[in-house]
Amino acid sequence: MLWNDTQGLKENMGYLLDKVKADRPLVHQITNFVTANDCANMVLAIGGSPVMAIDQAEAEEIVSPASCLVLNLGTLTSDRVTAMLLAGMQANRLGIPVVLDPVGAGASSLRTRSAEQIAKEIKLAVVRGNGSELRALAGLRSHTRGVESAMDLRQAPFAKQLAEQLGCVVAATGAQDVVTDGRRSLLVNNGDQWLTRITGTGCMATALVGACCGVSNDYLLAAATALTIMGIAGEKAAGDAAEAGNGTFRTKLFDHVSCLSSSELKLGAKIVME
Amino acid sequence: MLWNDTQGLKENMGYLLDKVKADRPLVHQITNFVTANDCANMVLAIGGSPVMAIDQAEAEEIVSPASCLVLNLGTLTSDRVTAMLLAGMQANRLGIPVVLDPVGAGASSLRTRSAEQIAKEIKLAVVRGNGSELRALAGLRSHTRGVESAMDLRQAPFAKQLAEQLGCVVAATGAQDVVTDGRRSLLVNNGDQWLTRITGTGCMATALVGACCGVSNDYLLAAATALTIMGIAGEKAAGDAAEAGNGTFRTKLFDHVSCLSSSELKLGAKIVME
Amino acid sequence: MLWNDTQGLKENMGYLLDKVKADRPLVHQITNFVTANDCANMVLAIGGSPVMAIDQAEAEEIVSPASCLVLNLGTLTSDRVTAMLLAGMQANRLGIPVVLDPVGAGASSLRTRSAEQIAKEIKLAVVRGNGSELRALAGLRSHTRGVESAMDLRQAPFAKQLAEQLGCVVAATGAQDVVTDGRRSLLVNNGDQWLTRITGTGCMATALVGACCGVSNDYLLAAATALTIMGIAGEKAAGDAAEAGNGTFRTKLFDHVSCLSSSELKLGAKIVME
């Protein structure tokens, strides 16, 4: 289905969420050990099926039946990069979309170089990162402080340029999320400051992008849908956690992703077509 | 204690749970990074004491004081297999039971070969897997899709055959669990579909099998007890989570394993001797 | 600020907690995969910013902008030790405090030797461990059973001696925590038996020590503040979990660390200057 206005876009987002639940896409994640459990549980919460594997020896075999491949550079090792390249090339050969999360690009040359190498050698569907990570990936000077982003409210033009440069959808998350394929851009205004109070919400958002790309080849729509779901769930969980704290927020975030219906998604989406 | 009927079996299950709490068995797990935290917390929830270590250099030392060794093939690497073999052989020398979870056997040749090698070189107490993993371990054609099982309601005869082939207890989990040593078979009808909505419930069940094998050399009883506990806790957590979602289910699963008394276990067990 | 009596100490602890929330110290943790997620979330809960990286290739780069480096020996590998030494030496060059958690020292020679090597080659700010781990680090005979401590109510004199030997603060946790720099000693009587029912509370306490050392060079104060926060949060979570169980305790532990105000800290602290 095509979408030309916000209403059509929201209809498509609801349809895509229902399709994830119907198709249960298998999402292979080569990822870090800090948030791996959260990323697997997020794929399950939205309705997909996660698989995780890191050894080069099985990278190609594991990705082959998958609906999507997610490459996440957290707690990266040199060996891991080789497995990512092997899995990514196999995914490219089979037409399986590849989503990259360049965690910590700009914070070390290992991360920056690896992100660049993957973006160069693998045809990507979506890159999801924060402002400073994407800036590093673009070859611009970046000051990634640990794994946090310097917020940049003017990142829309930059994201567009990077999308053209990489030939893929760029999903830049922050106070406002920007999703763009270089021609069309969507601004997602869902989310809550609470999402920065627990670890891994960026990784989890990328895992959701993976699940959505597993059922649609409109990757702009898929990425925007995933970020909107994460944002709405974050808003709801923030309400539950206000009187409780970080542990409750985390638990409720999974609750709300798992319970969100397509009609709630359409109602709650604060999305603008630029 | 011997058990010849369902009532005697349930009495023994209650006794075994009390013994775990009294003896606090040390369970060494060589396992994956996705569910390691959950597996450690499950061992604690039932009353045991977990230890995790993966380096070949310490495999033999760490397992030596343990009451049980659990080998879990999730996020496997070639190095890890060597550590598993070293720890497993030391466990065999010392009479410490070894429990294998062949995560992803059938999904890659690394997993299938490693599971076969471990089953060949190590004397196992219990193998706990889903239908397709066990099929792969038996050398049969398997279609493991990621880490999920193709449910097979007729897996009892197959499990019996595999138990004879491997000379150990086979615990095949699914909608109905089958636990067999090749001669005697037990069917566990506890559990809930909710257990498939979060990651790692298979790994966690294996961790509980490890804790139970740490206090009894009746491994058939131990495996059935562990799966029944997981099933009852899953049923209770499903009730709590119905109006909430996946995050709450996960939290409550640990709550109910940790609170289950031996009398509740005996009352709640839906177990059939075949 | 100096502190010469218990009241002054508590004032400083409150001030330090507020400073963590104001400064958001970046805490680089080279740590194990079992509790990494919990350790990252604890740093966030107290108000800091976590970053995790393990590869030797990026060890020096990642630590350079950090406020503190935490080295945790859980699920240790030989490669990991090299990364720890590189990061530790860089931290020493830049005046960044280094906190060591010798998880499992005494349980294998890899762990004991690595802990000794790190303590010898790196100038440490704080070592946080249980009685048997610290005993092993001191070169004394130790019977570390897995990752658990043999409680030792008379560990104060030993901790003092070790602090002098290592030239750093020693934080020995158990039923009563002892924090000492060899000259001054503080006894922390907060905490609850519930803290031993879930995995990783020792690692999490060390992560909190790291966050506190990131904003103060009074490491004795910093370590005592962190352990007191963990203890008070544990007491509160135990109240919440009494009717629920282990899963709820874990969730509430994060809630209470994240919500604890400096005035609640000062009121709840059960601390004695020896």
Side-chain angles (χ1 to χ4, degrees):
Chain A
M1 279 197 286
L2 294 173
W3 44 271
N4 295 305
D5 56 14
T6 308
Q7 195 48 42
L9 174 61
K10 288 180 185 175
E11 290 297 329
N12 274 272
M13 287 169 57
Y15 175 77
L16 194 147
L17 176 56
D18 287 338
K19 196 159 159 51
V20 170
K21 294 189 193 307
D23 292 2
R24 308 209 56 220
L26 181 66
V27 182
H28 177 202
Q29 302 181 64
I30 304 182
T31 190
N32 70 81
F33 64 71
V34 182
T35 66
N37 187 272
D38 288 337
C39 290
N41 272 322
M42 268 298 159
V43 168
L44 282 158
I46 197 179
S49 176
V51 60
M52 295 187 162
I54 53 167
D55 200 276
Q56 302 172 18
E58 63 180 3
E60 299 181 25
E61 269 177 292
I62 295 283
V63 80
S64 295
S67 304
C68 186
L69 172 66
V70 174
L71 306 177
N72 176 306
L73 304 195
T75 59
L76 195 66
T77 61
S78 310
D79 279 3
R80 194 75 51 88
V81 177
T82 310
M84 289 182 180
L85 291 170
L86 286 169
M89 286 186 277
Q90 177 72 349
N92 279 180
R93 276 190 292 272
L94 299 175
I96 299 164
V98 181
V99 176
L100 174 65
D101 189 329
V103 179
S108 81
S109 51
L110 173 68
R111 305 279 181 117
T112 308
R113 267 189 295 107
S114 300
E116 285 169 352
Q117 189 184 4
I118 290 168
K120 194 178 156 203
E121 299 189 18
I122 308 296
K123 167 77 186 146
L124 298 171
V126 183
V127 176
R128 203 287 317 157
N130 62 38
S132 57
E133 289 162 349
L134 295 175
R135 217 161 280 277
L137 180 56
L140 300 174
R141 192 185 305 269
S142 167
H143 300 286
T144 303
R145 179 176 177 273
V147 290
E148 276 187 41
S149 172
M151 290 296 176
D152 185 356
L153 294 171
R154 296 151 306 170
Q155 62 191 0
F158 162 71
K160 262 184 157 162
Q161 196 181 321
L162 182 61
E164 278 172 24
Q165 183 183 329
L166 298 177
C168 73
V169 170
V170 168
T173 52
Q176 183 181 59
D177 302 333
V178 180
V179 188
T180 178
D181 61 6
R183 293 173 298 114
R184 294 173 303 172
S185 295
L186 303 171
L187 305 179
V188 180
N189 291 305
N190 292 97
D192 191 284
Q193 185 65 23
W194 268 93
L195 285 163
T196 65
R197 297 194 196 173
I198 62 168
T199 196
T201 51
C203 302
M204 296 180 218
T206 304
L208 293 179
V209 170
C212 291
C213 288
V215 299
S216 169
N217 47 27
D218 184 344
Y219 303 134
L220 183 66
L221 171 70
T225 303
L227 297 187
T228 305
I229 290 168
M230 193 69 181
I232 295 174
E235 293 163 11
K236 289 171 180 255
D240 300 321
E243 306 289 312
N246 291 20
T248 297
F249 177 78
R250 182 166 177 250
T251 299
K252 297 308 292 180
L253 186 65
F254 286 94
D255 278 353
H256 291 299
V257 170
S258 70
C259 288
L260 193 75
S261 67
S262 50
S263 48
E264 286 173 304
L265 170 59
K266 286 183 274 186
L267 271 172
K270 296 179 195 149
I271 194 156
V272 178
M273 294 175 65
E274 237 203 357
Chain B
M1 279 196 288
L2 294 173
W3 43 273
N4 295 305
D5 57 14
T6 308
Q7 194 48 42
L9 174 60
K10 288 180 184 174
E11 289 297 328
N12 274 273
M13 287 170 57
Y15 174 77
L16 195 148
L17 177 56
D18 287 337
K19 196 160 160 48
V20 170
K21 294 190 193 305
D23 293 1
R24 311 209 53 220
L26 181 66
V27 181
H28 177 203
Q29 301 182 64
I30 304 182
T31 189
N32 70 82
F33 64 70
V34 182
T35 66
N37 187 273
D38 289 336
C39 290
N41 271 322
M42 269 299 159
V43 167
L44 281 158
I46 197 179
S49 176
V51 58
M52 294 186 163
I54 54 168
D55 200 275
Q56 301 171 21
E58 63 179 3
E60 299 182 24
E61 270 177 292
I62 296 283
V63 80
S64 295
S67 304
C68 185
L69 171 67
V70 174
L71 306 177
N72 176 306
L73 304 194
T75 60
L76 196 66
T77 61
S78 310
D79 279 2
R80 194 73 52 90
V81 178
T82 311
M84 288 181 181
L85 291 170
L86 286 170
M89 286 187 278
Q90 177 72 349
N92 278 179
R93 275 190 292 271
L94 299 175
I96 299 164
V98 182
V99 175
L100 173 66
D101 189 329
V103 179
S108 82
S109 51
L110 174 68
R111 306 278 182 116
T112 308
R113 265 189 295 108
S114 301
E116 285 169 352
Q117 190 185 1
I118 289 167
K120 194 179 156 203
E121 299 189 17
I122 309 296
K123 167 73 186 150
L124 299 171
V126 182
V127 175
R128 201 290 317 161
N130 63 37
S132 56
E133 289 162 349
L134 295 176
R135 217 162 280 277
L137 180 56
L140 299 174
R141 193 186 304 268
S142 166
H143 299 286
T144 303
R145 180 178 177 270
V147 289
E148 277 187 40
S149 173
M151 289 296 175
D152 185 356
L153 294 172
R154 294 151 308 170
Q155 64 192 358
F158 162 70
K160 261 184 159 164
Q161 198 181 321
L162 182 62
E164 277 172 24
Q165 185 183 327
L166 299 177
C168 73
V169 169
V170 168
T173 52
Q176 183 182 59
D177 303 332
V178 180
V179 187
T180 178
D181 61 6
R183 292 173 298 116
R184 294 173 304 171
S185 296
L186 303 171
L187 305 179
V188 180
N189 290 305
N190 292 96
D192 192 283
Q193 185 64 25
W194 268 93
L195 286 163
T196 65
R197 296 193 196 174
I198 62 168
T199 195
T201 50
C203 302
M204 295 180 218
T206 305
L208 293 179
V209 171
C212 291
C213 288
V215 298
S216 168
N217 48 26
D218 184 343
Y219 303 134
L220 183 66
L221 171 70
T225 302
L227 298 186
T228 305
I229 290 169
M230 193 70 181
I232 294 174
E235 291 163 14
K236 288 172 180 254
D240 300 321
E243 306 290 311
N246 290 20
T248 297
F249 177 77
R250 182 166 177 252
T251 299
K252 297 307 292 180
L253 187 64
F254 286 94
D255 278 352
H256 290 300
V257 171
S258 70
C259 290
L260 192 75
S261 66
S262 50
S263 48
E264 285 173 304
L265 170 59
K266 286 183 274 185
L267 270 172
K270 295 179 195 149
I271 194 155
V272 177
M273 294 175 65
E274 237 202 0
Chain C
M1 277 196 290
L2 295 174
W3 42 274
N4 295 305
D5 56 14
T6 308
Q7 194 47 42
L9 175 61
K10 288 181 184 174
E11 289 298 328
N12 273 274
M13 288 170 56
Y15 174 78
L16 195 149
L17 176 57
D18 287 337
K19 196 159 160 50
V20 170
K21 293 190 193 308
D23 292 1
R24 308 209 56 219
L26 182 65
V27 181
H28 177 203
Q29 301 180 65
I30 304 183
T31 190
N32 70 81
F33 63 70
V34 182
T35 66
N37 187 273
D38 289 335
C39 290
N41 272 323
M42 268 298 158
V43 168
L44 282 158
I46 196 178
S49 176
V51 59
M52 292 183 165
I54 53 168
D55 200 276
Q56 302 172 20
E58 63 179 5
E60 298 182 23
E61 268 178 294
I62 296 283
V63 80
S64 295
S67 304
C68 186
L69 171 67
V70 174
L71 306 177
N72 175 307
L73 304 194
T75 60
L76 195 67
T77 61
S78 310
D79 279 3
R80 194 74 51 90
V81 178
T82 310
M84 289 183 180
L85 290 171
L86 287 169
M89 286 186 278
Q90 177 72 349
N92 278 180
R93 277 190 290 272
L94 299 174
I96 299 163
V98 181
V99 176
L100 173 66
D101 189 330
V103 179
S108 80
S109 50
L110 173 69
R111 305 278 182 116
T112 308
R113 265 189 295 107
S114 301
E116 285 169 350
Q117 189 185 2
I118 290 168
K120 193 179 156 200
E121 299 189 16
I122 309 295
K123 166 76 187 148
L124 298 172
V126 183
V127 175
R128 203 289 317 158
N130 62 38
S132 56
E133 289 162 349
L134 295 176
R135 217 162 279 278
L137 181 55
L140 300 175
R141 192 186 303 271
S142 167
H143 298 286
T144 303
R145 180 176 176 272
V147 290
E148 276 187 40
S149 173
M151 289 296 176
D152 184 356
L153 294 172
R154 294 151 308 170
Q155 63 191 358
F158 163 70
K160 262 184 157 162
Q161 196 181 324
L162 183 61
E164 278 172 25
Q165 183 183 330
L166 299 177
C168 73
V169 170
V170 167
T173 52
Q176 183 182 58
D177 302 334
V178 180
V179 187
T180 178
D181 61 6
R183 292 173 299 114
R184 294 174 302 172
S185 295
L186 302 171
L187 305 179
V188 180
N189 291 304
N190 292 98
D192 191 285
Q193 185 64 24
W194 268 92
L195 286 163
T196 65
R197 296 194 195 173
I198 63 168
T199 196
T201 51
C203 303
M204 296 180 217
T206 304
L208 293 179
V209 171
C212 291
C213 287
V215 299
S216 168
N217 48 26
D218 184 344
Y219 304 134
L220 183 66
L221 171 70
T225 302
L227 298 187
T228 305
I229 290 169
M230 194 69 181
I232 294 174
E235 293 163 12
K236 288 172 179 255
D240 300 322
E243 305 290 311
N246 290 20
T248 296
F249 177 77
R250 182 166 176 250
T251 300
K252 297 307 291 180
L253 187 64
F254 287 95
D255 279 352
H256 291 300
V257 171
S258 70
C259 289
L260 193 75
S261 67
S262 50
S263 48
E264 285 172 305
L265 170 58
K266 285 184 274 186
L267 271 173
K270 295 179 196 148
I271 194 156
V272 178
M273 294 175 65
E274 236 201 359

